[in-house]
Amino acid sequence: MTAGEANAYRPIRFLLDGKLMSVAPDDPTRTVLQYLREDLVRTGTKEGCAEGDCGACTVVVGELHDATVRCRAINSCIQFLPTLDGKALFTVESLKRPDGSLHPVQQAMVDAHASQCGFCTPGFVMSLFALYQETQAPTRTEINDALAGNLCRCTGYRPIVDAAEAMFRATPARESLSELRAKLQSLAGQPALAFASTDRTYCAPTTLDELAAARLAHPEARILAGGTDVGLWVTKQHRDLPALIYVGNVAAMKRIARTATHLEIGAGASLTDAAAAIVGVYPEFAELLRRFASPPIRNAGTLGGNIANGSPIGDSMPPLIALGTSVLLRKGATTREIALEDLYLAYQKTALAAGEFVAGMRIPLPAADSVFRTYKISKRFDQDIAAVCAAFRVTLRKGTIADARVAFGGVAATPRRATQCEAALTGAKWNDATLHAAMAALDRDYAPIDDMRASAAYRKLVSRNLLQRFYVESTTPDVATSVVEMTP
Ligand code: FAD
Ligand code: FES
Ligand code: FES
């Protein structure tokens, strides 16, 4: 019996301002924002874009993490309400103290005149509240990064960043979340959430075996992880998703471990957590992961979702392919392992069989004599989709390239290795002549398209230039790796 059949009508249970909310499930794709504004008339949380881009709808979700409550900003406009089950929700209305005084974040925003029309302000306050809860004294860059998912049309951001710095100088001690933690612990023991109506099913298994069984029982169901792709199919494309299997409550899917040879990351690990683990092993990955969407998207979105979604301009795949990553695909009790590049068959078509799901990824640890770089080219630094994403890894032995792995995104229907470029590199001395032969071979590897992000000609040129940049950086290691941005 799948989780769905076991508990067909348990309500969705989560905490709001520390109080238990019990919500009868109806449409599993109803968003947190719709629930807040329409059911609870908590209209402090705004709707701007309904696609995770502007931050006006930012709320904070508290989850048990080890012995603490971890508070993370997410976009409520693309988050489905049932995914709150077992969690704590904070909205801008949650922050005012019982005595009516403002939270240090709110007070700092008032003191710094960090709001004009005020439409964006609740979203900023919630991103800063999450930062306030999770850090002690962030740098200006960390504050800027924390706000990368919030757009303001009026203030020019300066007073908002000033307010962020000021709130950390404020003295009030952080409120203890121990009571909330105890309540979350009591919720943690509740049975898996699942409900079915005449035309809707939602199932949130809590173990890998339950997930595998649910997947076999409902091969037609859409797997839902962080919802940062799936959410937009509902809010922007108005697609109907009658059957969902939510992987976010399967702790084993969020497991991150380092073995003697690999970094193993569960498909359900958030991009935030996956990035922290990956950058610990591959610091060259940091720039790209910092530029992957925004913190609310990375907090909700998963690495497995990026890989399974298989977008031609998915940021994680080219570097993971260059690093020789394999992906674990599970069906029932059987798990198979394939090279990540073999997952992609054609545009938006993967090798996932019916009843299979992505269970995790295995990234080889760095080899002593290999050099790795990855670069994202996009119009904006933050919160932008790549025009081109490139990744290179060469193994050098006495100046000769013993092994080369080159992968690109944004230049073909799927993320893909540049096999002709690799052939021109492998076995050759890493010198100017080889570089130019490899650049010519790269031209033959891809036939990019023109689109709103870049022309085909630009994509070809920048791909060659990135290979040359890699050559410079891998042959003169003290060259600082800086950001290559597309000039407007
Ligand atoms: P979901 O939306 O939950 O699922 C995505 C797809 O994968 C669905 O088809 C789902 O069925 C499938 N799926 C998920 N998990 C599994 C699994 N374990 N097994 C099988 N199938 C599965 N992407 C980038 O690469 N770079 C960016 O800079 C970027 N910026 C973004 C900015 C915004 C504002 C938004 C809204 C999205 C952005 N994205 C970006 C896209 C998205 O955030 C990523 O692709 C994210 O990793 C998707 O993960 P998810 O967990 O939210 O997936
Ligand atoms: Fe714009 Fe949610 S309304 S990010
Ligand atoms: Fe008007 Fe920020 S104050 S959008």
Side-chain angles (χ1 to χ4, degrees):
M1 177 184 277
T2 64
E5 288 127 19
N7 308 287
Y9 298 99
R10 167 170 91 67
I12 305 164
R13 287 198 201 101
F14 62 93
L15 300 170
L16 176 59
D17 303 348
K19 285 190 218 58
L20 179 63
M21 307 298 281
S22 193
V23 182
D26 56 10
D27 173 1
T29 61
R30 187 125 196 279
T31 67
V32 173
L33 182 63
Q34 287 166 329
Y35 168 71
L36 287 172
R37 294 185 60 85
E38 295 163 12
D39 296 17
L40 301 187
V41 197
R42 279 173 85 116
T43 51
T45 306
K46 306 296 184 203
E47 175 172 349
C49 66
E51 60 181 25
D53 257 324
C54 75
C57 68
T58 307
V59 294
V60 170
V61 168
E63 283 188 83
L64 287 176
H65 182 74
D66 300 335
T68 63
V69 178
R70 191 164 66 177
C71 292
R72 285 186 162 171
I74 63 153
N75 302 108
S76 62
C77 64
I78 52 175
Q79 196 69 27
F80 297 150
L81 182 61
T83 64
L84 284 186
D85 192 61
K87 296 169 189 164
L89 177 65
F90 299 89
T91 70
V92 67
E93 291 89 348
S94 310
L95 300 196
K96 196 161 69 175
R97 305 308 173 97
D99 63 3
S101 60
L102 292 180
H103 186 279
V105 177
Q106 293 168 314
Q107 192 58 56
M109 292 285 279
V110 169
D111 298 344
H113 307 291
S115 175
Q116 289 183 24
C117 79
F119 188 81
C120 70
T121 306
F124 274 95
V125 164
M126 293 316 287
S127 287
L128 291 177
F129 169 67
L131 186 67
Y132 184 81
Q133 287 298 117
E134 294 298 309
T135 25
Q136 289 301 330
T139 63
R140 209 164 170 93
T141 302
E142 286 165 335
I143 291 170
N144 291 342
D145 283 353
L147 298 176
N150 295 90
L151 290 180
C152 175
R153 305 145 194 83
C154 306
T155 61
Y157 300 95
R158 171 66 197 257
I160 297 170
V161 179
D162 288 347
E165 288 190 320
M167 73 184 182
F168 283 99
R169 291 195 293 268
T171 44
R174 275 170 185 58
E175 263 174 280
S176 152
L177 295 180
S178 54
E179 196 186 324
L180 189 71
R181 187 185 63 219
K183 290 181 180 172
L184 284 174
Q185 282 163 341
S186 63
L187 275 183
Q190 60 186 349
L193 176 67
F195 50 90
S197 61
T198 45
D199 61 350
R200 308 260 138 213
T201 60
Y202 177 88
C203 168
T206 54
T207 67
L208 265 173
D209 290 345
E210 265 188 18
L211 171 57
R215 189 72 186 126
L216 279 180
H218 302 279
E220 80 296 343
R222 175 62 58 180
I223 286 198
L224 173 70
T228 60
D229 282 315
V230 172
L232 283 78
W233 301 350
V234 174
T235 62
K236 305 308 278 187
Q237 299 171 17
H238 305 297
R239 279 167 56 173
D240 185 38
L241 301 175
L244 291 174
I245 298 175
Y246 177 57
V247 301
N249 291 349
V250 183
M253 283 277 275
K254 299 180 180 176
R255 177 182 161 275
I256 295 176
R258 181 170 170 160
T259 68
T261 55
H262 285 78
L263 183 61
E264 296 182 346
I265 300 181
S270 72
L271 288 154
T272 302
D273 292 338
I278 292 171
V279 171
V281 177
Y282 287 104
E284 305 87 347
F285 221 130
E287 184 76 41
L288 182 135
L289 290 167
R290 182 173 160 232
R291 297 180 59 202
F292 188 123
S294 66
I297 296 294
R298 296 197 297 268
N299 290 338
T302 63
L303 187 58
N306 197 225
I307 282 172
N309 190 52
S311 163
I313 30 88
D315 280 343
S316 72
M317 293 85 99
L320 289 176
I321 289 171
L323 289 174
T325 301
S326 54
V327 62
L328 302 172
L329 307 178
R330 178 159 168 180
K331 179 173 183 175
T334 313
T335 299
R336 65 184 173 122
E337 182 170 7
I338 64 171
L340 176 55
E341 61 265 31
D342 295 340
L343 181 62
Y344 303 110
L345 305 177
Y347 177 69
Q348 302 271 302
K349 190 170 179 329
T350 70
L352 269 172
E356 239 179 5
F357 62 92
V358 176
M361 290 64 69
R362 301 180 71 237
I363 307 171
L365 295 181
D369 43 8
S370 66
V371 184
F372 163 69
R373 289 284 188 282
T374 185
Y375 310 108
K376 174 173 181 176
I377 300 291
S378 60
K379 287 180 178 154
R380 287 197 314 264
F381 184 87
D382 290 310
Q383 191 74 297
D384 202 1
I385 297 293
V388 171
C389 182
F392 307 90
R393 193 197 67 182
V394 293
T395 306
L396 286 168
R397 296 210 178 100
K398 295 191 180 69
T400 297
I401 300 170
D403 175 62
R405 291 180 67 94
V406 177
F408 275 79
V411 290
T414 69
R416 228 179 60 197
R417 287 177 69 173
T419 48
Q420 300 197 47
C421 176
E422 290 175 353
L425 291 168
T426 308
K429 284 286 180 199
W430 197 202
N431 58 29
D432 284 5
T434 304
L435 167 67
H436 287 92
M439 288 164 89
L442 189 58
D443 275 347
R444 299 191 300 272
D445 272 315
Y446 302 112
I449 58 168
D450 292 317
D451 70 10
M452 62 175 178
R453 292 194 182 96
S455 67
Y458 180 84
R459 286 187 159 105
K460 272 193 166 295
L461 176 62
V462 84
S463 300
R464 291 167 65 101
N465 291 351
L466 290 173
L467 176 57
Q468 184 158 11
R469 177 174 171 192
F470 175 64
Y471 172 64
V472 170
E473 290 182 3
S474 59
T475 49
T476 43
D478 56 347
V479 168
T481 52
S482 59
V483 171
V484 176
E485 282 179 77
M486 207 152 131
T487 42

